[in-house]
Amino acid sequence: MTTHTSATPTTGTTWTAAFRSAVISPHESIDLFEIRSFTAQTLRQVIRLDGGGTALRLHLSNRYGRQPLHIGGAHLARRTTGSTIDPTTDTPLTVDGAHDFTIPAGADVTTDPLHQTVTAGDEWALTLWLPDDTGPATYSAVPLRTGYTVPGNALTAPTLDGAEDLQELATRHYISGADVLAPTGTPVTVAFGDSWFEGAGTTHDTDNRFPDLLNNRLRAAGHPGWTVNTGISANRLLTDEIGEHALARLQRDALDIPGATHVLIHFGLNDLGIPGQEAYPDPAPIPTAADLITGLTTLADRIHAAGLTAITTTVGPYKDTVYEGYSTPEGVAVAREVNAWIRGADSPFDAYADFAAAVADPADPDRIHDDYDSGDGLHVNDAGAQALADTVDLAILKN
């Protein structure tokens, strides 16, 4: 990985992203994930902070809701195990001082801050009481964190485990992030990409996604910053669904994130694979290498224009994936061409991490090595995510 850029942090503290969860619309035409709505239910979901500070605030999203979202109450507490919280830490959250509030359709809100010290790795449970029909919920597709819902108002329940009609959720709803008051100039890297960042293929509820493992390396090295994750599984560089395409969501999901200093990207797989998967068994047109290079160059230019460091990764190997129609000889050839450009002198990025080389089968570099394959030939397992994290030069992630 190559490296450039440096700056001196200033004094004081500022609101800095310490957790992110990129959200998508429940109204898309490609239907890969379960769509949920809630009526007279309590929803408890877990987040794990990537960084710490002296105060904490949460971002709640009704961005893709088509009706106002009434939240009858919100509580935050430290999570112990499962859906169980430490009741001594259970604290009501407010928005503009109100315990009962409504998020308009298409809008996001930020909670009033809790002034207490929090640290990286802290696990928090956000509990929401949703008394009215929410309609299809704005959500994150593959958070790899079990959520919980029960009928009725269980806002202050110490646990939902064993409750009648308890449901476990694989998707996350309405949470888009958390910020902390951290020293001004803390370097924050936004992992902006697809399932290789969101974590599909790694073990549920274990925090073995690539950004988590990169954060482990940063902490072990005494690095002053951290990485937040805005990956969306099945997201594309050039085409909407799943989620808005990268060029459309870059501002919101990377450049506008408070404290962001670096943007690390992984895109291209789904641009090459989803058209054939959706059309299978018929062929479908895919982007050319020039199309992807133009899109990646635009990303780099916009990241630089915002004053941030732009880092890319090579497109991961995916030949022989089990998803019919996804892997084609034409698509694999385009990925090779794009990766050659990323590794070459013409790339506009400040650095790159060679994901493809890190997890490829040496005997067939277009496919994932068996030791790193989650089992579907498209996503890496925990060991593969560690191999990806190990490719990143930590020096480039400092200001």
Side-chain angles (χ1 to χ4, degrees):
M1 184 166 174
T2 54
T3 125
H4 305 249
T5 88
S6 65
T8 302
T10 57
T11 58
T13 61
T14 189
W15 285 111
T16 303
F19 170 81
R20 280 301 181 272
S21 188
V23 295
I24 62 177
S25 171
H27 305 290
E28 295 185 338
S29 59
I30 297 178
D31 183 14
L32 295 182
F33 308 104
E34 183 178 11
I35 306 304
R36 299 296 301 251
S37 59
F38 306 93
T39 306
Q41 288 170 272
T42 297
L43 178 61
R44 179 167 290 173
Q45 302 173 105
V46 178
I47 67 170
R48 182 176 185 265
L49 297 183
D50 299 311
T54 57
L56 176 68
R57 67 183 187 184
L58 269 64
H59 298 279
L60 304 178
S61 181
N62 190 29
R63 187 175 305 150
Y64 301 108
R66 293 182 176 175
Q67 62 194 61
L69 173 64
H70 176 206
I71 295 180
H75 276 230
L76 190 69
R78 290 184 183 270
R79 196 282 288 258
T80 56
T81 60
S83 69
T84 303
I85 61 170
D86 176 356
T88 66
T89 66
D90 192 22
T91 306
L93 290 179
T94 58
V95 172
D96 294 331
H99 294 267
D100 182 308
F101 52 92
T102 297
I103 308 176
D108 298 332
V109 299
T110 303
T111 67
D112 300 325
L114 297 179
H115 291 281
Q116 64 180 90
T117 297
V118 296
T119 59
D122 284 352
E123 292 188 354
W124 293 89
L126 172 67
T127 307
L128 301 175
W129 161 231
L130 305 171
D132 304 321
D133 177 17
T134 64
T138 295
Y139 74 111
S140 301
V142 188
L144 294 174
R145 273 285 180 175
T146 302
Y148 309 88
T149 183
V150 295
N153 186 347
L155 190 60
T156 60
T159 186
L160 306 183
D161 293 358
E164 186 176 357
D165 296 324
L166 170 69
Q167 296 180 49
E168 294 189 348
L169 306 176
T171 44
R172 177 184 285 128
H173 306 270
Y174 307 126
I175 303 174
S176 58
D179 301 335
V180 295
L181 274 181
T184 302
T186 297
V188 173
T189 298
V190 181
F192 176 68
D194 52 28
S195 57
W196 282 46
F197 286 172
E198 193 172 24
T202 61
T203 304
H204 206 89
D205 289 322
T206 62
D207 301 304
N208 279 318
R209 297 160 293 229
F210 157 76
D212 301 319
L213 300 176
L214 180 57
N215 277 332
N216 290 347
R217 287 191 63 213
L218 290 168
R219 285 192 287 271
H223 193 285
W226 54 80
T227 302
V228 296
N229 188 351
T230 62
I232 296 177
S233 295
N235 195 225
R236 288 182 269 184
L237 174 64
L238 303 175
T239 306
D240 285 342
E241 299 197 16
I242 299 295
E244 297 172 61
H245 67 278
L247 293 170
R249 72 183 185 96
L250 174 68
Q251 190 71 40
R252 179 186 64 244
D253 286 346
L255 306 185
D256 287 345
I257 287 181
T261 53
H262 301 68
V263 181
L264 171 65
I265 71 170
H266 180 268
F267 285 106
L269 279 176
N270 297 309
D271 294 80
L272 298 174
I274 285 179
Q277 183 183 21
E278 287 293 296
Y280 186 81
D282 296 322
I286 61 172
T288 65
D291 293 332
L292 292 179
I293 288 168
T294 297
L296 292 169
T297 300
T298 301
L299 279 184
D301 290 347
R302 289 179 58 191
I303 293 166
H304 286 144
L308 309 182
T309 300
I311 310 166
T312 191
T313 62
T314 49
V315 180
Y318 68 103
K319 179 185 173 186
D320 299 333
T321 177
V322 300
Y323 301 110
E324 293 179 318
Y326 194 101
S327 175
T328 62
E330 295 79 11
V332 169
V334 169
R336 279 195 226 108
E337 189 174 345
V338 171
N339 285 346
W341 171 79
I342 287 171
R343 295 175 181 126
D346 293 335
S347 168
F349 290 90
D350 300 294
Y352 73 90
D354 203 339
F355 275 16
V359 297
D361 181 349
D364 188 355
D366 295 322
R367 65 183 296 276
I368 298 174
H369 192 287
D370 289 345
D371 290 349
Y372 298 139
D373 186 0
S374 67
D376 66 4
L378 179 60
H379 301 102
V380 296
N381 58 17
D382 295 358
Q386 185 66 64
L388 300 181
D390 289 343
T391 67
V392 179
D393 178 3
L394 301 187
I396 187 61
L397 303 186
K398 290 184 179 180
N399 281 344

